[in-house]
Structure formats: C-alpha cells, structure tokens
C-alpha cells in the first residue's frame, strides 16, 4: 500500500516571500500521479498542481511549482510571492496509474502573514 | 466548471440515529468518492463507486454504507451513528474519460457532530 507523508503540520510565511511544503511517498509502482490540493478555511478543496511520474519536467502553475525527485520519492510544493489568499491547508496526494483512489498525506496548514 | 454539491454543510445527530449524507455532481463523472477528514490524518477513503450500483470499500468502511442509484448521486449512510463518527465528510468525483490522471473534484464538505 502507498503512504504519503507531510512532515510539516504547520508553516507560516510572510506575504511576498517564498515557501516550500514537503511531501514524501512510498510506492513500488513506476508510473503514477502526484497532486497538491488546497483547502482554504471553510471553503472547497481545489487542485493546485499535478505531476505525472513519467514526466521528468517539474510541473508549474503560475506561482506554484513542484520539485519532483522520483528516486528520492519526494514531491515538494513551492509557492512564490506568497499572498494572503494562499492561507489554507495543503494536501499532497498519490494515485497509481491503474486505480481510481487517491492516498492523501496528513496535510500542512500554511498561514501567510501580512 | 465541475460542480459537486453536498446536501448539508453542518449536521448534528444523536448516537444511534441513521444518518444520510448526499452528494450530487453535474459533470457526468463515472467515479464518486466519500472521504472523512480528521486533523492530522488527512483524508481517508470510506467508499468509492465507479458506476451506478457499483461500489468498493476504501480504507475505513466499517460503520458506513453507500448507495448509488443514479450516476450523479452518491449517498453515504451511517446505519447507527456513533460519537467516533464525528468528522468532516467530503465527497468527490472524477472522470475516467479525462486523460489527466483523473483529477478529483471536491464538494464543500459536511461537518457532522454526533452527540
């Protein structure tokens, strides 16, 4: 079974600065997908970014980028130019190629301070 | 845009009551999921369904059942609610037709308190 670990339960960052959220996973699969989801306070969970394991290039979505290290089984999220609206719970998730299910990490609560 | 709705944002129930949580999606997705979210544990899958009347157990199915009579609707049932089922419940849906790693789209969640 896959496991996903987020070692930072809480983090804070000053507005406009850069912050990196860590995620490691354990799998014996070679082909899979990784996701970062964001859950703002009292709001719906939304997808931030997605990475296919067969792609060597790191995914980027505007201010959000990932550092995908397949050999190390690491998938960190970098948020550049942090904004107050980035305050949220962030969840890392894993999906293998064949199945439908996501395995989530425990989450990191990020607070962006003005 | 995909829209996933859940019947209630907040629910308060008594121990032993039968509880129904309903989820509806409007994008003709084949897959639907029920998770519970607890602090420090992330999201844990209770059940999922890949087609009408089809269901599979997730990681923590004990104490729960599900029903999917129509493609757009997926219900979670707590047959006899207990205090340890106090939690946030999230519904999600995804499409197997989408060649994008089957991104899941989430509802707003139902916060259930069992007294």
């Amino acid at each position: 079974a896959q496991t996903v670990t987020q070692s930072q339960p809480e983090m804070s960052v000053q507005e406009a600065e850069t912050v990196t959220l860590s995620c490691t996973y354990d799998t014996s699969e070679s082909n899979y997908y990784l996701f970062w989801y964001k859950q703002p306070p009292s709001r719906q969970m939304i997808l931030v970014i997605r990475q296919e394991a067969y792609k060597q290039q790191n995914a980027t979505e505007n201010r959000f980028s990932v550092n995908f290290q397949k050999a190390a089984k690491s998938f960190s999220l970098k948020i550049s130019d942090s904004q107050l609206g980035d305050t949220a719970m962030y969840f890392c998730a894993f999906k293998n190629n064949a199945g439908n299910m996501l395995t989530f990490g425990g989450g990191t609560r990020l607070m962006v301070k003005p | 845009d995909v829209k996933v709705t859940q019947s209630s944002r907040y629910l308060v129930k008594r121990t032993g009551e039968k509880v129904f949580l309903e989820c509806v999606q409007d994008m003709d997705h084949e897959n639907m999921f029920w998770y519970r979210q607890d602090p420090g544990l992330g999201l844990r899958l209770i059940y999922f369904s890949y087609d009408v009347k089809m269901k599979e157990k997730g990681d923590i199915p004990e104490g729960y059942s599900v029903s999917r009579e129509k493609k757009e609707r997926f219900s979670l049932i707590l047959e006899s609610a207990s205090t340890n089922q106090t939690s946030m419940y999230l519904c999600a849906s995804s499409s197997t037709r989408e060649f994008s790693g089957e991104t899941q789209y989430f509802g707003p969640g139902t916060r259930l308190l069992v007294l």
Side-chain angles (χ1 to χ4, degrees), chain A residues 51-72:
Chain A
Q51 175 82 41
E52 292 90 343
Y54 62 86
K55 290 185 178 178
Q56 293 188 345
Q57 187 172 8
N58 288 325
T60 299
E61 288 287 343
N62 301 313
R63 298 183 295 106
F64 298 87
S65 62
V66 298
N67 183 6
F68 174 47
Q69 301 288 329
K70 192 172 184 178

Side-chain angles (χ1 to χ4, degrees), chain A residues 73-109:
Chain A
K73 296 179 182 176
S74 170
F75 183 60
S76 60
L77 175 70
K78 186 172 84 170
I79 307 173
S80 304
D81 186 25
S82 297
Q83 300 176 359
L84 297 179
D86 296 333
T87 292
M89 282 289 291
Y90 288 82
F91 293 97
C92 179
F94 171 100
K95 190 189 91 66
N96 67 37
N97 194 42
N100 296 312
M101 295 186 286
L102 289 177
T103 300
F104 284 85
T108 296
R109 185 178 302 278

Side-chain angles (χ1 to χ4, degrees), chain A residues 36-63:
Chain A
W36 279 100
Y37 278 89
K38 169 185 177 181
Q39 186 181 42
S42 301
R43 291 179 61 190
Q44 215 140 333
M45 179 120 63
I46 58 172
L47 178 69
V48 175
I49 200 164
R50 174 179 55 232
Q51 175 82 41
E52 292 90 343
Y54 62 86
K55 290 185 178 178
Q56 293 188 345
Q57 187 172 8
N58 288 325
T60 299
E61 288 287 343
N62 301 313
R63 298 183 295 106

Side-chain angles (χ1 to χ4, degrees), chain B residues 34 46-48 55 64-68 74-77:
Chain B
W34 274 107
I46 304 171
Y47 269 97
F48 81 95
K55 62 186 179 184
Y64 303 94
S65 63
V66 290
S67 173
R68 193 165 179 202
F74 191 36
S75 300
L76 179 70
I77 304 152

Side-chain angles (χ1 to χ4, degrees), chain B residues 34-94:
Chain B
W34 274 107
Y35 295 91
R36 66 176 280 175
Q37 180 182 357
D38 300 290
L41 298 178
L43 278 71
R44 294 177 292 166
L45 181 66
I46 304 171
Y47 269 97
F48 81 95
S49 169
Y50 52 90
D51 202 351
V52 175
K53 297 190 186 295
M54 307 303 289
K55 62 186 179 184
E56 286 200 25
K57 293 180 180 179
D59 298 319
I60 51 165
E62 297 79 17
Y64 303 94
S65 63
V66 290
S67 173
R68 193 165 179 202
E69 297 296 320
K70 293 184 178 181
K71 191 174 185 180
E72 68 270 18
R73 190 178 298 269
F74 191 36
S75 300
L76 179 70
I77 304 152
L78 288 65
E79 296 289 342
S80 177
S82 63
T83 54
N84 63 12
Q85 292 179 310
T86 291
S87 187
M88 169 74 91
Y89 291 87
L90 295 176
C91 175
S93 71
S94 71

